[in-house]
Amino acid sequence: MEQQGASGAVGPLVENLFRRESGRLTAALTRFFGSAHLELAEDVVQDTLLKAMREWPFKGVPNDPVAWLHRVARNGAMDRLRRDARGAQLLKEQAPLLRSEWSMAATVNEALRPESLADDQLRMFFACCHPSLPTEQQVALVLKTLCGFGVPEIARAFVTNEETINKRLYRAREAFRALGHLEIPEGEDLSARTEHVLASIYLLFNEGYNATRNPDLIREDLIEEALHLAHLLTQHPATDLPDVHALLALMLFHAARTDARRAADGAIILLADQDRTQWDAELIDLAGQHLVLATRNGGFSSYHLEAAIAGMHAHASSFAATDWAAIVSLYDRLLVLKPHDIVRMNRAVALAEAQGADEGLRALEQVRGLEDHHVFQATRGELMRRAGRTEEARTAFQLALRLATAPQERILLEQRLAAL
Amino acid sequence: MSKYLFLFRGGMDMRAATPDALQASMMKWKQWMDELVKNGKMLSGEPLDGPGKVLTGTAKKITDGPFAEGKEVVGGYMMIEASGMDEALELSKGCPVLDHEGSVEVRPVMEMRM
């Protein structure tokens, strides 16, 4: 038995190595096999991980684990093409190069070149975000195939059950299989399709960032994956677009505040009370750089405005020193592009800071459709309190408490009520 | 010092396991085995590939084996060195196969003196 690996010193493995490589290999194999053979690609990847799982404890972790996984996946792909019934079907559909044993290895090696992996991931990303799939299915498919998460993990991330995720994935796969060859869209198609891709990244990020319902580690994974996917887009000339940089800037400005938003006991700390020295200066700096890149060639989108707002907060020396008037006017412009109730609510909050609680309340009372949202009721309660309307504030906070489900949010609301 | 054979059966459903779960399990196996190697307890061992065949009787009948369920299949073996059954059992307790309701069969190897 070979023991040099097991006993020898091996550097620590990257924590998400299997997950990350699973996504990269699934993308490469799916591009190679065609979208109809997604399951075959996933089987090859699972075989590869199983082989690593069983061999590495005995033989030690290879010096280059990534290269090892990719080599085993290439061999696994050839094996499946030769022996698997689905592989045989695929050979019938595919170019004659694959049919000859002599040229198969060269073709597989060429198809799964490490240099083309990033492109393959992008193609896969665009395919997962095809307009024929509803957004929630797109995101489930992205998390499963591209990010390498399992069904239980995705279910936890969206605070739902595995059955729901399985259903979403089942429908998503049906649509996905019909796509055929995976391409990065071109021309006008590209910008329309990029919008879908960005929307799914932002959803991913928000699920990770806003949900305090479940203080699970996957939350941070979601933020990381969203940043990773956006970064991937900036690495390809076709998708290195102003909107992508704007979204990246927006997410980075928020991510810089992640640690400051939560106390050691998990309690929520509101923006006004956050210790700004805990904000990650490097991330804020990086966000600023992306915001500059986002404005090249006159790029302009809702992401630009949201990034600008997040940037105003990130650069303000204190809550009081924040330029609230500028933020209100950014919200005014954002409302033109994104006339959503949430945006109206956030504008009202900024207006209250700029012009006083009464003005803020007047704007808030015009927001319709968020009455069943605990954040809306909590915001109302806070502005009522500041306006000296204590009893109305109490009613609003009590309503918010009935609507909130996350323990941390409930604690925060109870504190608010007790302080009235 | 005596030799003991560990036979591993069952354990996690690897076909359905997520990449994160596989990597975590791999690391646990590695840590457990590295410890055995470090303490000079490990003699040899290998994972087994499935599925195998079973040859039976004078007719040498070949079947796919009597494995009704995956949990009855031996997934790997290991030969270790221990002072006695008690120590062998103690060493087997750290095996990650147990985390997923799998089993370790601990068998003393018969000593043959020439």
Side-chain angles (χ1 to χ4, degrees):
Chain A
M1 164 182 180
E2 291 178 66
Q3 287 192 355
Q4 76 275 21
S7 55
V10 175
L13 272 188
V14 183
E15 205 177 310
N16 56 9
L17 174 84
F18 277 27
R19 197 159 61 67
R20 184 60 39 92
E21 294 312 315
S22 151
R24 302 207 311 157
L25 287 168
T26 305
L29 289 163
T30 308
R31 199 256 303 139
F32 179 42
F33 293 159
S35 80
H37 298 281
L38 173 62
E39 268 89 14
L40 186 62
E42 288 179 318
D43 284 349
V44 171
V45 174
Q46 191 74 354
D47 289 344
T48 304
L49 298 183
L50 287 186
K51 198 172 162 64
M53 193 229 155
R54 309 199 69 198
E55 280 192 18
W56 292 4
F58 284 94
K59 293 173 125 182
V61 176
N63 286 335
D64 187 343
V66 174
W68 189 98
L69 290 171
H70 289 224
R71 181 169 39 86
V72 169
R74 283 196 296 272
N75 291 338
M78 280 189 272
D79 211 45
R80 290 275 185 170
L81 287 172
R82 291 191 193 107
R83 294 195 181 87
D84 193 297
R86 292 168 299 174
Q89 176 63 33
L90 183 59
L91 286 187
K92 255 190 253 165
E93 301 163 12
Q94 287 271 359
L97 274 177
L98 273 180
R99 283 182 219 145
S100 115
E101 190 64 22
W102 178 78
S103 55
M104 184 198 270
T107 311
V108 170
N109 285 337
E110 173 63 21
L112 302 181
R113 275 185 314 144
E115 298 79 43
S116 54
L117 278 171
D119 273 22
D120 291 340
Q121 283 178 286
L122 269 190
R123 286 170 214 259
M124 188 74 180
F125 198 7
F126 273 98
C128 289
C129 298
H130 196 269
S132 61
L133 282 72
T135 310
E136 59 178 23
Q137 288 181 25
Q138 293 175 356
V139 176
L141 196 58
V142 166
L143 286 175
K144 180 76 175 68
T145 62
L146 208 55
C147 305
F149 286 113
V151 171
E153 294 149 356
I154 302 172
R156 277 209 304 281
F158 289 99
V159 199
T160 179
N161 54 38
E162 294 181 27
E163 198 193 332
T164 305
I165 297 299
N166 271 322
K167 270 188 204 152
R168 277 185 207 170
L169 283 171
Y170 179 81
R171 294 195 196 107
R173 282 168 190 282
E174 293 222 308
F176 184 90
R177 274 197 288 270
L179 296 178
H181 282 286
L182 310 185
E183 298 298 343
I184 298 170
E186 290 175 356
E188 276 181 30
D189 211 18
L190 178 68
S191 60
R193 295 282 299 281
T194 304
E195 267 180 49
H196 285 273
V197 167
L198 294 183
S200 83
I201 293 178
Y202 198 24
L203 177 67
L204 210 60
F205 181 83
N206 280 327
E207 279 296 326
Y209 194 75
N210 290 332
T212 42
R213 287 170 290 192
N214 183 350
D216 204 303
L217 264 184
I218 187 145
R219 299 299 179 174
E220 276 157 40
D221 282 348
L222 288 182
I223 293 176
E224 195 188 311
E225 286 303 322
L227 291 170
H228 172 71
L229 290 167
H231 182 73
L232 196 66
L233 289 172
T234 65
Q235 297 303 296
H236 192 284
T239 52
D240 183 24
L241 302 164
D243 292 7
V244 179
H245 286 282
L247 175 58
L248 202 44
L250 165 60
M251 294 192 295
L252 286 167
F253 277 133
H254 282 301
R257 303 205 295 259
T258 306
D259 290 344
R261 292 163 75 224
R262 203 170 293 173
D265 62 357
I268 302 164
I269 305 175
L270 296 172
L271 181 62
D273 306 322
Q274 286 172 17
D275 173 3
R276 293 181 181 227
T277 61
Q278 271 194 41
W279 291 359
D280 189 325
E282 266 179 52
L283 287 189
I284 291 175
D285 194 44
L286 191 60
Q289 292 172 30
H290 281 290
L291 195 53
V292 171
L293 290 172
T295 46
R296 284 174 312 179
N297 314 322
F300 190 70
S301 67
S302 62
Y303 299 123
H304 285 79
L305 289 166
E306 286 184 68
I309 293 167
M312 301 282 301
H313 287 299
H315 288 118
S317 58
S318 70
F319 189 77
T322 310
D323 188 348
W324 293 104
I327 290 179
V328 171
S329 78
L330 285 168
Y331 272 121
D332 285 336
R333 293 167 71 191
L334 182 59
L335 270 174
V336 177
L337 297 178
K338 205 172 161 181
H340 295 180
D341 292 326
I342 298 274
V343 180
R344 285 193 193 97
M345 179 181 81
N346 290 333
R347 179 185 171 276
V349 172
L351 195 66
E353 297 299 338
Q355 297 177 24
D358 291 328
E359 281 303 313
L361 269 175
R362 251 192 292 282
L364 197 66
E365 297 298 345
Q366 285 170 22
V367 179
R368 294 278 174 273
L370 291 179
E371 291 80 1
D372 293 337
H373 202 300
H374 69 273
V375 176
F376 176 78
Q377 294 300 346
T379 303
R380 264 188 75 224
E382 175 58 21
L383 296 188
M384 293 285 191
R385 182 190 69 79
R386 282 196 229 169
R389 294 155 70 175
T390 312
E391 281 318 302
E392 287 163 284
R394 193 186 312 280
T395 313
F397 279 132
Q398 279 164 346
L399 188 52
L401 195 57
R402 276 205 292 281
L403 295 166
T405 50
Q408 296 94 328
E409 284 169 347
R410 297 182 58 84
I411 291 168
L412 188 68
L413 287 166
E414 277 160 7
Q415 287 168 351
R416 290 300 207 210
L417 267 171
L420 277 180
Chain B
M1 279 292 159
S2 310
K3 290 180 183 173
Y4 291 84
L5 176 71
F6 285 0
L7 290 172
F8 311 113
R9 288 189 176 83
M12 90 195 286
D13 177 4
M14 296 198 290
R15 287 242 58 101
T18 69
D20 277 348
L22 285 176
Q23 186 169 343
S25 175
M26 190 276 289
M27 291 309 292
K28 285 188 104 170
W29 275 93
K30 193 174 141 22
Q31 276 156 16
W32 179 61
M33 288 168 61
D34 283 357
E35 193 69 16
L36 291 175
V37 170
K38 200 179 85 193
N39 297 328
K41 302 295 179 189
M42 171 87 80
L43 296 173
S44 66
E46 265 157 323
L48 298 180
D49 212 351
K53 298 279 184 191
V54 174
L55 210 68
T56 314
T58 48
K60 299 180 175 50
K61 193 179 157 218
I62 297 172
T63 61
D64 285 339
F67 317 120
E69 288 181 68
K71 68 180 181 196
E72 291 165 22
V73 180
V74 177
Y77 74 92
M78 221 182 259
M79 196 70 87
I80 63 121
E81 199 164 48
S83 57
M85 184 52 108
D86 285 350
E87 192 196 357
L89 283 173
E90 201 52 42
L91 291 174
S92 75
K93 280 182 184 167
C95 180
V97 80
L98 302 170
D99 297 347
H100 302 272
E101 302 308 313
S103 70
V104 186
E105 183 176 337
V106 182
R107 301 284 301 270
V109 175
M110 190 182 281
E111 282 182 52
M112 294 182 286
R113 295 186 197 281
M114 304 302 277

